[in-house]
Amino acid sequence: MLSLTSGAIGAVGRKLVAGWANRLGLRTDQETVDHKTFVVVNGARVQVKTSTLWANNTYKFQQIRDDPYDRLLCLGVSPDDFHAWLIPKTEALTHASGQHTGAAARETRWITAIPNARNGWLDEYGGQLADVARLLTRL
């Protein structure tokens, strides 16, 4: 995945999430609004952000914006495992850090997560795929 463009990584992430949700028995669709593509799971519009591990053993879910979605699904891909968090949009926007111009940035933000560790506010939104599977089935 490291050699793919960010757009291609996003497409792979959406396909992985849609296929996984289908295997969980959930209804999925794809929807494009204002040139942005979302996975729709049981009627809820989900923005998928995908990250591989950074050198410091963290995931950085980038380009988080105030777009028309209900939940943000952060999918982390490491060499040995997958990790995920399903976050309500308002919580994601509240806790995400400014991406390009520091803490005050509001147009694009990012969320940092450490796999297999306590992540404070993120903990209630998943970490392991089984956690997020339970959250997805509640949509």
Side-chain angles (χ1 to χ4, degrees), residues 69-122:
Y69 58 88
D70 303 306
R71 298 279 191 284
L72 176 69
L73 195 151
C74 295
L75 178 65
V77 180
S78 74
D80 301 318
D81 206 354
F82 284 88
H83 300 89
W85 294 265
L86 183 65
I87 311 163
K89 175 184 172 178
T90 54
E91 288 296 307
L93 293 176
T94 297
H95 293 286
S97 302
Q99 183 171 341
H100 293 297
T101 57
R106 290 293 172 239
E107 184 177 328
T108 60
R109 305 168 195 181
W110 62 8
I111 292 173
T112 301
I114 303 167
N116 303 315
R118 305 299 288 165
N119 284 288
W121 70 272
L122 263 178

Side-chain angles (χ1 to χ4, degrees), residues 59-71:
Y59 295 118
K60 297 274 188 180
F61 301 101
Q62 302 182 65
Q63 302 294 318
I64 297 170
R65 295 183 173 89
D66 188 5
D67 290 330
Y69 58 88
D70 303 306
R71 298 279 191 284

